[in-house]
Amino acid sequence: MREERCGDLTLLRFEILADAPRLAHAVAGRPHNFAPHRGPQRDEAVRRRRQVCDLLKLPFERLTSPAQVHGPDVLAVEEGDIGCGRDGRESAVPHVDGLITDRPGVPLVLLSADCPLVCVFDPDRPAVGAVHASWKGTVAGAAGRLVAMMARTFGSRTERLRAGVAPSAGPCCYEVGHDVRRLARTRLEQADRFFIERDGRLFFDLWEANRRQLIDAGVPATAIEVAGLCSICDRRFWSHRREGPETGRTALFIGLRE
Ligand SMILES: [Zn+2]
């Protein structure tokens, strides 16, 4: 990803999404917290969201967010969803971890403190989508569902999609219990290749698990950018693992300009 300073904000952008004229996106993290419901300076979160939307030339008023319930489900944004979750989680689009849209001027925002956020872009329709792929969502196939929803809803040709996996818990740090691998084995093809044993400890490679899901769903490997930045050991990002449940949230914004 490419890092850019904009006043007191630091924005990161995927190289693979950088040259699309109507697409705007960014990942924004510490020191600012983008969650109005959790973490430090939460009363500043909505203002910070607006600041990022303004920089991206996307309308903050129509910023839309999924509730993020650690599931794999993805919905297409309908008229009544627009602006839901803009000011906080209680109004977010319920039940789902991902949203897709082909509507210009409807930016999406998703939050993370270690969980991968996966975004996709269809340059032909054009359309965008993003999903919060927590370990439970990853095991349940969230990234694959995101791509499938783009194809089903917008007729996206998966071989034309571009995808990014945002900064999140990396295989360097993301230790899990054997129960996680056991569950993954029941849901993911060849799940063992996403788990690394080191010094008697088990690590889950969420990045590779999501990259593989995108490939299996039809996205070309060359069109996938894994940020490769670990939220646990890279202090530019908020981390639940490092700082506990009262940590802030890093945000991914993505949308089509009007
Ligand atoms: Zn790490």
Side-chain angles (χ1 to χ4, degrees), residues 7 24 28 54 57 171 188 199 208 224 232 238:
D54 289 351
K57 299 184 172 63
L188 301 178
D199 308 324
E208 181 58 16
I224 301 169
I232 302 175
W238 298 100

Side-chain angles (χ1 to χ4, degrees), residues 69-241:
V69 294
H70 296 271
D73 291 309
V74 176
L75 281 176
V77 174
E78 295 181 354
E79 194 67 37
D81 300 323
I82 295 172
C84 288
R86 181 193 67 193
D87 299 328
R89 197 178 175 199
E90 57 285 352
S91 65
V93 180
H95 313 307
V96 297
D97 281 68
L99 292 171
I100 60 173
T101 190
D102 64 346
R103 295 165 187 263
V106 180
L108 309 176
V109 64
L110 281 75
L111 300 174
S112 163
D114 291 336
C115 295
L117 301 174
V118 180
C119 59
V120 291
F121 172 58
D122 173 354
D124 300 327
R125 177 92 178 191
V128 296
V131 71
H132 164 252
S134 67
W135 79 258
K136 285 183 181 168
T138 298
V139 166
R145 297 275 282 276
L146 175 67
V147 172
M149 272 297 283
M150 292 283 286
R152 189 187 310 161
T153 311
F154 302 133
S156 298
R157 290 184 296 141
T158 58
E159 71 273 18
R160 290 280 298 155
L161 294 179
R162 299 184 217 165
V165 180
S168 46
C172 42
C173 298
Y174 193 54
E175 188 176 2
V176 295
H178 289 265
D179 56 317
V180 172
R181 181 168 62 181
R182 188 178 166 202
L183 194 62
R185 281 171 171 161
T186 70
R187 302 259 189 86
L188 301 178
E189 287 292 318
Q190 296 181 276
D192 281 5
R193 64 186 156 167
F194 309 132
F195 291 86
I196 303 146
E197 291 185 44
R198 280 197 305 267
D199 308 324
R201 298 157 73 194
L202 188 63
F203 296 84
F204 188 0
D205 188 345
L206 290 167
W207 299 344
E208 181 58 16
N210 279 290
R211 195 183 73 90
R212 179 51 57 183
Q213 266 180 45
L214 291 165
I215 292 170
D216 289 348
V219 183
T222 51
I224 301 169
E225 181 175 346
V226 176
L229 302 171
C230 171
S231 55
I232 302 175
C233 59
D234 186 331
R235 289 179 174 269
R236 285 178 290 176
F237 311 104
W238 298 100
S239 172
H240 185 280
R241 201 49 87 84

Side-chain angles (χ1 to χ4, degrees), residues 49-64:
R49 289 176 170 202
R50 181 190 289 274
Q51 190 183 2
V52 175
C53 286
D54 289 351
L55 281 165
L56 297 179
K57 299 184 172 63
L58 293 170
F60 165 77
E61 297 305 321
R62 288 150 68 86
L63 185 66
T64 306

